[in-house]
Amino acid sequence: MNEAITPLIIGNWKMNGKIKQLGEIVELDIILNDMNTDKCHVVICPPTTLLISAAQLNENSKIAFGGQDCHVEQSGAHTGDISAEMLKDAGAQYVIVGHSERRADCGESDEIVQGKVEAAFRADITPIICIGESENERKQGRALEVVLEQLDKSIPTDIKDIIVAYEPVWAIGTGLVPSINDINEMHNAIRVALIKRFGVNGEKTPILYGGSMKPNNAKEMLELNNVNGGLVGGASLKASDFIQIIEACQ
Ligand code: PEP
């Protein structure tokens, strides 16, 4: 844990949750109300259909909200898409960009991801930029090279606030996690690359780990100096699981 960066625990609900699922936010909100959360920021990225309702549940909530993706443009003829400005209007302060599921499902390149980061800056919301190697790339010993190239190409030259999420693709939703040494090595390499490119801003950029982070493994990961929080999928859907990961920050 790096004392200079307040850790973030971000829940990515993916394509899960109908209106009933808002009850998990209410439950989490009640628990967080009684907790000292100075040591950790909590964010939930629900499906867009729930974003407005979630953001309006409690205006004094300690939970912030984010979108799961945005279009590069502000508005226009892009059926089915959502712009960063629309997310902001709906109550989002963050947006996930370049998640490996979108890179795979929608063919998103690093260049497209970079456009989405710029869209988030334009709308004044913070992009959470996902990068990570595939199983094959790790087996071939290319994990560091692949991740650092994605980092380099997905981030524009002029940055405002960004969050980087290292998410090995093979660890997402599988229950598999890299060894603690591998996580440490990757996060340290990302930190060095960020400092080399952005100086002081690179020192302050939160680097989250994502990929089967669970209540039973979060603490060990979050203790690493350059792991500044987690991007959590499956374990963010139930308040009772998610709160244990938040507690691991304390
Ligand atoms: C994710 O969707 O970003 C993720 C890390 O999922 P999970 O925690 O379920 O592996």
Side-chain angles (χ1 to χ4, degrees), residues 59-81:
E59 61 177 32
N60 297 315
S61 178
K62 292 179 177 174
I63 308 170
F65 294 94
Q68 297 179 10
D69 177 54
C70 67
H71 195 274
V72 294
E73 302 290 341
Q74 193 165 347
S75 61
H78 302 286
T79 304
D81 275 313

PDB file of all heavy atoms in Angstrom, residues 59-81:
ATOM      1  N   GLU A  59     -27.841  11.116  -2.215  1.00  0.00           N
ATOM      2  CA  GLU A  59     -26.892  12.118  -2.729  1.00  0.00           C
ATOM      3  C   GLU A  59     -25.694  12.315  -1.798  1.00  0.00           C
ATOM      4  O   GLU A  59     -24.674  12.871  -2.204  1.00  0.00           O
ATOM      5  CB  GLU A  59     -27.586  13.447  -3.064  1.00  0.00           C
ATOM      6  CG  GLU A  59     -28.257  14.105  -1.886  1.00  0.00           C
ATOM      7  CD  GLU A  59     -28.870  15.463  -2.256  1.00  0.00           C
ATOM      8  OE1 GLU A  59     -29.314  15.620  -3.421  1.00  0.00           O
ATOM      9  OE2 GLU A  59     -28.894  16.341  -1.382  1.00  0.00           O
ATOM     10  N   ASN A  60     -25.798  11.840  -0.554  1.00  0.00           N
ATOM     11  CA  ASN A  60     -24.651  11.939   0.362  1.00  0.00           C
ATOM     12  C   ASN A  60     -23.857  10.635   0.446  1.00  0.00           C
ATOM     13  O   ASN A  60     -23.064  10.436   1.361  1.00  0.00           O
ATOM     14  CB  ASN A  60     -25.126  12.314   1.774  1.00  0.00           C
ATOM     15  CG  ASN A  60     -25.786  13.677   1.770  1.00  0.00           C
ATOM     16  OD1 ASN A  60     -25.263  14.599   1.160  1.00  0.00           O
ATOM     17  ND2 ASN A  60     -26.935  13.785   2.428  1.00  0.00           N
ATOM     18  N   SER A  61     -24.106   9.762  -0.495  1.00  0.00           N
ATOM     19  CA  SER A  61     -23.476   8.441  -0.440  1.00  0.00           C
ATOM     20  C   SER A  61     -21.954   8.540  -0.540  1.00  0.00           C
ATOM     21  O   SER A  61     -21.412   9.436  -1.192  1.00  0.00           O
ATOM     22  CB  SER A  61     -23.993   7.586  -1.592  1.00  0.00           C
ATOM     23  OG  SER A  61     -23.362   6.340  -1.578  1.00  0.00           O
ATOM     24  N   LYS A  62     -21.286   7.585   0.108  1.00  0.00           N
ATOM     25  CA  LYS A  62     -19.829   7.503  -0.030  1.00  0.00           C
ATOM     26  C   LYS A  62     -19.450   6.716  -1.288  1.00  0.00           C
ATOM     27  O   LYS A  62     -18.274   6.564  -1.585  1.00  0.00           O
ATOM     28  CB  LYS A  62     -19.242   6.817   1.199  1.00  0.00           C
ATOM     29  CG  LYS A  62     -19.360   7.645   2.481  1.00  0.00           C
ATOM     30  CD  LYS A  62     -18.771   6.873   3.648  1.00  0.00           C
ATOM     31  CE  LYS A  62     -18.813   7.714   4.903  1.00  0.00           C
ATOM     32  NZ  LYS A  62     -18.383   6.937   6.088  1.00  0.00           N
ATOM     33  N   ILE A  63     -20.444   6.204  -1.982  1.00  0.00           N
ATOM     34  CA  ILE A  63     -20.164   5.447  -3.205  1.00  0.00           C
ATOM     35  C   ILE A  63     -20.242   6.402  -4.399  1.00  0.00           C
ATOM     36  O   ILE A  63     -21.200   7.171  -4.525  1.00  0.00           O
ATOM     37  CB  ILE A  63     -21.205   4.319  -3.425  1.00  0.00           C
ATOM     38  CG1 ILE A  63     -21.337   3.463  -2.168  1.00  0.00           C
ATOM     39  CG2 ILE A  63     -20.838   3.461  -4.641  1.00  0.00           C
ATOM     40  CD1 ILE A  63     -22.523   2.487  -2.213  1.00  0.00           C
ATOM     41  N   ALA A  64     -19.216   6.355  -5.244  1.00  0.00           N
ATOM     42  CA  ALA A  64     -19.280   7.095  -6.508  1.00  0.00           C
ATOM     43  C   ALA A  64     -19.623   6.089  -7.610  1.00  0.00           C
ATOM     44  O   ALA A  64     -19.502   4.878  -7.414  1.00  0.00           O
ATOM     45  CB  ALA A  64     -17.943   7.768  -6.792  1.00  0.00           C
ATOM     46  N   PHE A  65     -20.038   6.632  -8.779  1.00  0.00           N
ATOM     47  CA  PHE A  65     -20.499   5.730  -9.846  1.00  0.00           C
ATOM     48  C   PHE A  65     -19.758   5.982 -11.153  1.00  0.00           C
ATOM     49  O   PHE A  65     -19.202   7.066 -11.369  1.00  0.00           O
ATOM     50  CB  PHE A  65     -22.015   5.881 -10.038  1.00  0.00           C
ATOM     51  CG  PHE A  65     -22.757   5.409  -8.821  1.00  0.00           C
ATOM     52  CD1 PHE A  65     -23.133   6.307  -7.817  1.00  0.00           C
ATOM     53  CD2 PHE A  65     -23.001   4.057  -8.630  1.00  0.00           C
ATOM     54  CE1 PHE A  65     -23.756   5.870  -6.659  1.00  0.00           C
ATOM     55  CE2 PHE A  65     -23.631   3.608  -7.480  1.00  0.00           C
ATOM     56  CZ  PHE A  65     -24.011   4.517  -6.490  1.00  0.00           C
ATOM     57  N   GLY A  66     -19.749   4.949 -11.962  1.00  0.00           N
ATOM     58  CA  GLY A  66     -19.066   5.077 -13.247  1.00  0.00           C
ATOM     59  C   GLY A  66     -19.790   4.292 -14.324  1.00  0.00           C
ATOM     60  O   GLY A  66     -20.619   3.418 -14.032  1.00  0.00           O
ATOM     61  N   GLY A  67     -19.461   4.602 -15.572  1.00  0.00           N
ATOM     62  CA  GLY A  67     -19.961   3.827 -16.703  1.00  0.00           C
ATOM     63  C   GLY A  67     -18.956   2.726 -17.043  1.00  0.00           C
ATOM     64  O   GLY A  67     -17.833   2.712 -16.538  1.00  0.00           O
ATOM     65  N   GLN A  68     -19.384   1.817 -17.919  1.00  0.00           N
ATOM     66  CA  GLN A  68     -18.515   0.681 -18.272  1.00  0.00           C
ATOM     67  C   GLN A  68     -17.835   0.866 -19.622  1.00  0.00           C
ATOM     68  O   GLN A  68     -16.984   0.064 -20.008  1.00  0.00           O
ATOM     69  CB  GLN A  68     -19.333  -0.614 -18.296  1.00  0.00           C
ATOM     70  CG  GLN A  68     -19.916  -0.982 -16.949  1.00  0.00           C
ATOM     71  CD  GLN A  68     -20.738  -2.254 -17.011  1.00  0.00           C
ATOM     72  OE1 GLN A  68     -20.738  -2.977 -17.996  1.00  0.00           O
ATOM     73  NE2 GLN A  68     -21.456  -2.536 -15.941  1.00  0.00           N
ATOM     74  N   ASP A  69     -18.236   1.902 -20.341  1.00  0.00           N
ATOM     75  CA  ASP A  69     -17.661   2.181 -21.659  1.00  0.00           C
ATOM     76  C   ASP A  69     -18.258   3.503 -22.137  1.00  0.00           C
ATOM     77  O   ASP A  69     -19.283   3.936 -21.622  1.00  0.00           O
ATOM     78  CB  ASP A  69     -18.042   1.073 -22.673  1.00  0.00           C
ATOM     79  CG  ASP A  69     -17.522   1.390 -24.062  1.00  0.00           C
ATOM     80  OD1 ASP A  69     -16.307   1.624 -24.189  1.00  0.00           O
ATOM     81  OD2 ASP A  69     -18.329   1.425 -25.022  1.00  0.00           O
ATOM     82  N   CYS A  70     -17.605   4.153 -23.083  1.00  0.00           N
ATOM     83  CA  CYS A  70     -18.225   5.320 -23.722  1.00  0.00           C
ATOM     84  C   CYS A  70     -17.792   5.370 -25.172  1.00  0.00           C
ATOM     85  O   CYS A  70     -16.784   4.771 -25.554  1.00  0.00           O
ATOM     86  CB  CYS A  70     -17.842   6.617 -23.007  1.00  0.00           C
ATOM     87  SG  CYS A  70     -16.093   7.032 -23.149  1.00  0.00           S
ATOM     88  N   HIS A  71     -18.547   6.090 -25.970  1.00  0.00           N
ATOM     89  CA  HIS A  71     -18.181   6.323 -27.375  1.00  0.00           C
ATOM     90  C   HIS A  71     -17.164   7.466 -27.428  1.00  0.00           C
ATOM     91  O   HIS A  71     -17.086   8.260 -26.493  1.00  0.00           O
ATOM     92  CB  HIS A  71     -19.450   6.689 -28.165  1.00  0.00           C
ATOM     93  CG  HIS A  71     -19.265   6.593 -29.643  1.00  0.00           C
ATOM     94  ND1 HIS A  71     -18.760   7.629 -30.406  1.00  0.00           N
ATOM     95  CD2 HIS A  71     -19.488   5.566 -30.500  1.00  0.00           C
ATOM     96  CE1 HIS A  71     -18.697   7.250 -31.672  1.00  0.00           C
ATOM     97  NE2 HIS A  71     -19.129   6.001 -31.755  1.00  0.00           N
ATOM     98  N   VAL A  72     -16.403   7.531 -28.506  1.00  0.00           N
ATOM     99  CA  VAL A  72     -15.429   8.625 -28.622  1.00  0.00           C
ATOM    100  C   VAL A  72     -16.111   9.975 -28.903  1.00  0.00           C
ATOM    101  O   VAL A  72     -15.589  11.026 -28.519  1.00  0.00           O
ATOM    102  CB  VAL A  72     -14.360   8.359 -29.718  1.00  0.00           C
ATOM    103  CG1 VAL A  72     -13.485   7.191 -29.355  1.00  0.00           C
ATOM    104  CG2 VAL A  72     -14.988   8.149 -31.078  1.00  0.00           C
ATOM    105  N   GLU A  73     -17.277   9.916 -29.569  1.00  0.00           N
ATOM    106  CA  GLU A  73     -17.953  11.171 -29.925  1.00  0.00           C
ATOM    107  C   GLU A  73     -18.872  11.628 -28.789  1.00  0.00           C
ATOM    108  O   GLU A  73     -19.275  10.845 -27.942  1.00  0.00           O
ATOM    109  CB  GLU A  73     -18.802  10.988 -31.193  1.00  0.00           C
ATOM    110  CG  GLU A  73     -18.039  10.512 -32.418  1.00  0.00           C
ATOM    111  CD  GLU A  73     -17.095  11.574 -32.974  1.00  0.00           C
ATOM    112  OE1 GLU A  73     -17.278  12.762 -32.652  1.00  0.00           O
ATOM    113  OE2 GLU A  73     -16.188  11.198 -33.743  1.00  0.00           O
ATOM    114  N   GLN A  74     -19.235  12.903 -28.893  1.00  0.00           N
ATOM    115  CA  GLN A  74     -20.074  13.522 -27.862  1.00  0.00           C
ATOM    116  C   GLN A  74     -21.561  13.177 -28.043  1.00  0.00           C
ATOM    117  O   GLN A  74     -22.304  13.035 -27.087  1.00  0.00           O
ATOM    118  CB  GLN A  74     -19.890  15.030 -27.978  1.00  0.00           C
ATOM    119  CG  GLN A  74     -20.396  15.823 -26.852  1.00  0.00           C
ATOM    120  CD  GLN A  74     -19.837  17.246 -26.883  1.00  0.00           C
ATOM    121  OE1 GLN A  74     -18.899  17.550 -27.602  1.00  0.00           O
ATOM    122  NE2 GLN A  74     -20.437  18.104 -26.094  1.00  0.00           N
ATOM    123  N   SER A  75     -21.978  13.078 -29.317  1.00  0.00           N
ATOM    124  CA  SER A  75     -23.379  12.771 -29.645  1.00  0.00           C
ATOM    125  C   SER A  75     -23.432  12.429 -31.129  1.00  0.00           C
ATOM    126  O   SER A  75     -22.430  12.572 -31.829  1.00  0.00           O
ATOM    127  CB  SER A  75     -24.287  13.985 -29.369  1.00  0.00           C
ATOM    128  OG  SER A  75     -23.873  15.071 -30.177  1.00  0.00           O
ATOM    129  N   GLY A  76     -24.587  11.971 -31.586  1.00  0.00           N
ATOM    130  CA  GLY A  76     -24.727  11.751 -33.025  1.00  0.00           C
ATOM    131  C   GLY A  76     -25.281  10.391 -33.387  1.00  0.00           C
ATOM    132  O   GLY A  76     -25.881   9.693 -32.568  1.00  0.00           O
ATOM    133  N   ALA A  77     -25.072  10.013 -34.650  1.00  0.00           N
ATOM    134  CA  ALA A  77     -25.691   8.812 -35.210  1.00  0.00           C
ATOM    135  C   ALA A  77     -24.869   7.564 -34.868  1.00  0.00           C
ATOM    136  O   ALA A  77     -24.132   7.037 -35.709  1.00  0.00           O
ATOM    137  CB  ALA A  77     -25.820   8.980 -36.729  1.00  0.00           C
ATOM    138  N   HIS A  78     -24.974   7.135 -33.641  1.00  0.00           N
ATOM    139  CA  HIS A  78     -24.238   5.949 -33.173  1.00  0.00           C
ATOM    140  C   HIS A  78     -25.195   5.103 -32.336  1.00  0.00           C
ATOM    141  O   HIS A  78     -25.123   5.077 -31.094  1.00  0.00           O
ATOM    142  CB  HIS A  78     -23.007   6.361 -32.352  1.00  0.00           C
ATOM    143  CG  HIS A  78     -22.083   7.242 -33.127  1.00  0.00           C
ATOM    144  ND1 HIS A  78     -21.270   6.768 -34.141  1.00  0.00           N
ATOM    145  CD2 HIS A  78     -21.865   8.590 -33.072  1.00  0.00           C
ATOM    146  CE1 HIS A  78     -20.589   7.772 -34.670  1.00  0.00           C
ATOM    147  NE2 HIS A  78     -20.937   8.890 -34.044  1.00  0.00           N
ATOM    148  N   THR A  79     -26.110   4.449 -33.030  1.00  0.00           N
ATOM    149  CA  THR A  79     -27.192   3.721 -32.358  1.00  0.00           C
ATOM    150  C   THR A  79     -26.657   2.741 -31.312  1.00  0.00           C
ATOM    151  O   THR A  79     -25.762   1.955 -31.599  1.00  0.00           O
ATOM    152  CB  THR A  79     -28.019   2.958 -33.414  1.00  0.00           C
ATOM    153  OG1 THR A  79     -28.492   3.903 -34.382  1.00  0.00           O
ATOM    154  CG2 THR A  79     -29.202   2.243 -32.774  1.00  0.00           C
ATOM    155  N   GLY A  80     -27.215   2.839 -30.141  1.00  0.00           N
ATOM    156  CA  GLY A  80     -26.860   1.895 -29.076  1.00  0.00           C
ATOM    157  C   GLY A  80     -25.687   2.340 -28.236  1.00  0.00           C
ATOM    158  O   GLY A  80     -25.390   1.719 -27.216  1.00  0.00           O
ATOM    159  N   ASP A  81     -24.991   3.398 -28.652  1.00  0.00           N
ATOM    160  CA  ASP A  81     -23.828   3.843 -27.878  1.00  0.00           C
ATOM    161  C   ASP A  81     -24.178   4.940 -26.879  1.00  0.00           C
ATOM    162  O   ASP A  81     -25.239   5.571 -26.974  1.00  0.00           O
ATOM    163  CB  ASP A  81     -22.732   4.340 -28.836  1.00  0.00           C
ATOM    164  CG  ASP A  81     -21.880   3.206 -29.342  1.00  0.00           C
ATOM    165  OD1 ASP A  81     -21.460   2.382 -28.514  1.00  0.00           O
ATOM    166  OD2 ASP A  81     -21.646   3.133 -30.566  1.00  0.00           O
TER     167      ASP A  81
END
